Amino acid sequence: MPQPKYNLHLKGFVGGYDFDRDYVDYILAKNAGKPVNVLIDSTGGSLATALSISSAFKLHGDVSVHFVGMNASAATIAALGAKHVSIDTAAWYLVHKCSNEFFKWSSLNADQMADLISALERQKADLDKLDAGVAAMYAAKCRKDPKALLDLMKVGGWLSAKEALEWGFVDEITDEPEDTAPKLTDSTASAMAAAGMPIPNVPVADRESGLGRFFAAIAAMFRPSNAATPVINNQSNTPQMSTIIFPALCAALALDSLELSGDKATASLSVEQLAKIDKALNGNASEIKAKDTEIATLKARVAELEKTPAETTSAIVSTSQQPEKPESPMDAFSASVRRAREIYDQLP
């Protein structure tokens, strides 16, 4: 059956740049009172973000979600607020109990061990509450007893599309026109193992190149921003996606995303769109020229001041001042995030 055009493509880490609540709100607001179709392909992430997106889907009232690839954890929770949920024939579905990161490498005395045990018991109680709440949400969707869902979450095994339909997690099984059969990569398998997820029995993709893993690591560093990073195929070096979002470029063209087509995933632009890009570039060129003029003026002023003899002074100059503390990597990253947020807020 023909598939709808998707208004949202939510992929990767839930809570990251490509599965972000702010962008979901932006798209839903632009389509207020209209049906919204969402494609999800994610192995999970932040429970808080998933619950927030699920609520946003529910409040909109007319959201349809379609699962492709391997979907687990928070990605499945995010879809619970949708009006209709479908899944591709070759896709997989996984629910499991909530978890917290934990690492302790230390020498503890008896009192410290008691404090640690007490802290862990509090965390366990919180996780039990979260598990019960999530199981109740799944049960409402599946129309089953919450205990049955909690038992399934304890097992945490991968469900085929048919099994997901039998449980009631999805409303129907449909086929995507393109090849959407999931393939397991090194990075995906590592992420699943780190999260304690079972590795599904699916075809294994060609081993990722070192360069591909390098770009993936760089992209992960900037997850808080809202720019989408293309997933590069190590054989053809072409983005494996039907749409892509470059915030600055899409803002200049007044588009939500760029549509890609063909084996080389190329995008076609109209003469009007090219004119908009040219106008934006000319605007930047004007700003650069103005800055160059300002810099040249300041340099000339500095040169004049250097020729003038220094004034005498009786003030005491302290030489014990501490040198300015260099900017830490975390400060630099925070500044980048704030700048990215400022650019995002300027988008129409």
Side-chain angles (χ1 to χ4, degrees), residues 278-316:
D278 184 67
K279 181 179 179 181
L281 291 175
N282 286 334
N284 291 336
S286 299
E287 289 184 17
I288 294 173
K289 184 177 180 181
K291 291 295 183 183
D292 288 341
T293 302
E294 183 180 353
I295 291 172
T297 302
L298 292 174
K299 285 183 176 179
R301 176 59 178 159
V302 170
E304 289 295 326
L305 292 174
E306 289 177 344
K307 295 177 183 179
T308 304
E311 297 180 358
T312 59
T313 178
S314 59
I316 299 176

Side-chain angles (χ1 to χ4, degrees), residues 102 108-126:
F102 174 76
L108 304 177
N109 60 33
D111 294 335
Q112 292 170 330
M113 287 184 179
D115 291 339
L116 177 60
I117 292 172
S118 178
L120 290 177
E121 287 177 342
R122 289 194 297 270
Q123 289 188 32
K124 179 183 180 301
D126 288 339

Side-chain angles (χ1 to χ4, degrees), residues 199-212:
I199 306 300
N201 183 21
V202 297
V204 178
D206 293 334
R207 181 171 295 275
E208 296 171 286
S209 66
L211 184 61

Side-chain angles (χ1 to χ4, degrees), residues 56-136:
F57 286 168
K58 187 175 181 179
L59 289 174
H60 182 278
D62 195 1
V63 175
S64 297
V65 167
H66 184 67
F67 285 112
V68 299
M70 293 180 290
N71 296 273
S73 189
T76 65
I77 295 172
L80 292 176
K83 181 179 179 181
H84 183 271
V85 181
S86 59
I87 189 170
D88 185 73
T89 305
W92 294 80
Y93 194 100
L94 171 68
V95 298
H96 65 84
K97 299 191 71 176
C98 301
S99 62
N100 274 343
E101 290 185 358
F102 174 76
F103 178 79
K104 187 70 175 179
W105 182 267
S106 180
S107 176
L108 304 177
N109 60 33
D111 294 335
Q112 292 170 330
M113 287 184 179
D115 291 339
L116 177 60
I117 292 172
S118 178
L120 290 177
E121 287 177 342
R122 289 194 297 270
Q123 289 188 32
K124 179 183 180 301
D126 288 339
L127 288 175
D128 286 339
K129 290 180 182 179
L130 292 175
D131 288 333
V134 171

Side-chain angles (χ1 to χ4, degrees), residues 7 74 77 99 129 218 244 253 339:
N7 307 95
I77 295 172
S99 62
K129 290 180 182 179
I218 294 299
I244 190 169
L253 298 175
R339 180 56 183 156

Side-chain angles (χ1 to χ4, degrees), residues 39-342:
L39 183 76
I40 294 183
D41 182 1
S42 166
T43 53
S46 167
L47 173 61
T49 299
L51 292 172
S52 182
I53 290 177
S54 175
S55 178
F57 286 168
K58 187 175 181 179
L59 289 174
H60 182 278
D62 195 1
V63 175
S64 297
V65 167
H66 184 67
F67 285 112
V68 299
M70 293 180 290
N71 296 273
S73 189
T76 65
I77 295 172
L80 292 176
K83 181 179 179 181
H84 183 271
V85 181
S86 59
I87 189 170
D88 185 73
T89 305
W92 294 80
Y93 194 100
L94 171 68
V95 298
H96 65 84
K97 299 191 71 176
C98 301
S99 62
N100 274 343
E101 290 185 358
F102 174 76
F103 178 79
K104 187 70 175 179
W105 182 267
S106 180
S107 176
L108 304 177
N109 60 33
D111 294 335
Q112 292 170 330
M113 287 184 179
D115 291 339
L116 177 60
I117 292 172
S118 178
L120 290 177
E121 287 177 342
R122 289 194 297 270
Q123 289 188 32
K124 179 183 180 301
D126 288 339
L127 288 175
D128 286 339
K129 290 180 182 179
L130 292 175
D131 288 333
V134 171
M137 293 177 65
Y138 283 137
K141 170 65 179 176
C142 300
R143 298 181 181 179
K144 296 182 183 297
D145 180 47
K147 185 180 183 304
L149 273 301
L150 191 57
D151 290 340
L152 179 64
M153 291 166 60
K154 290 180 181 179
V155 175
W158 284 93
L159 302 176
S160 65
K162 184 174 181 295
E163 290 170 328
L165 179 63
E166 291 172 348
W167 268 94
F169 291 115
V170 299
D171 302 307
E172 66 172 325
I173 299 175
T174 61
D175 291 317
E176 283 286 284
E178 66 270 13
D179 180 16
T180 56
K183 292 185 179 181
L184 192 64
T185 62
D186 290 343
S187 59
T188 302
S190 298
M192 288 180 177
M197 295 182 186
I199 306 300
N201 183 21
V202 297
V204 178
D206 293 334
R207 181 171 295 275
E208 296 171 286
S209 66
L211 184 61
R213 289 195 296 271
F214 171 77
F215 281 124
I218 294 299
M221 292 174 61
F222 293 92
R223 284 194 184 279
S225 68
N226 292 283
T229 302
V231 178
I232 303 300
N233 180 291
N234 61 314
Q235 293 182 346
S236 60
N237 291 331
T238 57
Q240 299 299 302
M241 53 179 71
S242 59
T243 63
I244 190 169
I245 303 170
F246 289 112
L249 183 58
C250 290
L253 298 175
L255 297 174
D256 294 332
S257 61
L258 292 177
E259 298 290 337
L260 305 181
S261 61
D263 295 335
K264 295 184 178 180
T266 57
S268 299
L269 300 177
S270 66
V271 175
E272 181 182 358
Q273 291 173 328
L274 291 173
K276 289 181 179 179
I277 295 176
D278 184 67
K279 181 179 179 181
L281 291 175
N282 286 334
N284 291 336
S286 299
E287 289 184 17
I288 294 173
K289 184 177 180 181
K291 291 295 183 183
D292 288 341
T293 302
E294 183 180 353
I295 291 172
T297 302
L298 292 174
K299 285 183 176 179
R301 176 59 178 159
V302 170
E304 289 295 326
L305 292 174
E306 289 177 344
K307 295 177 183 179
T308 304
E311 297 180 358
T312 59
T313 178
S314 59
I316 299 176
V317 179
S318 173
T319 59
S320 61
Q321 294 181 352
Q322 296 295 325
E324 184 178 351
K325 184 179 180 180
E327 186 178 41
S328 69
M330 180 57 68
D331 291 336
F333 176 76
S334 299
S336 299
V337 172
R338 287 195 300 271
R339 180 56 183 156
R341 176 60 60 188
E342 290 171 1

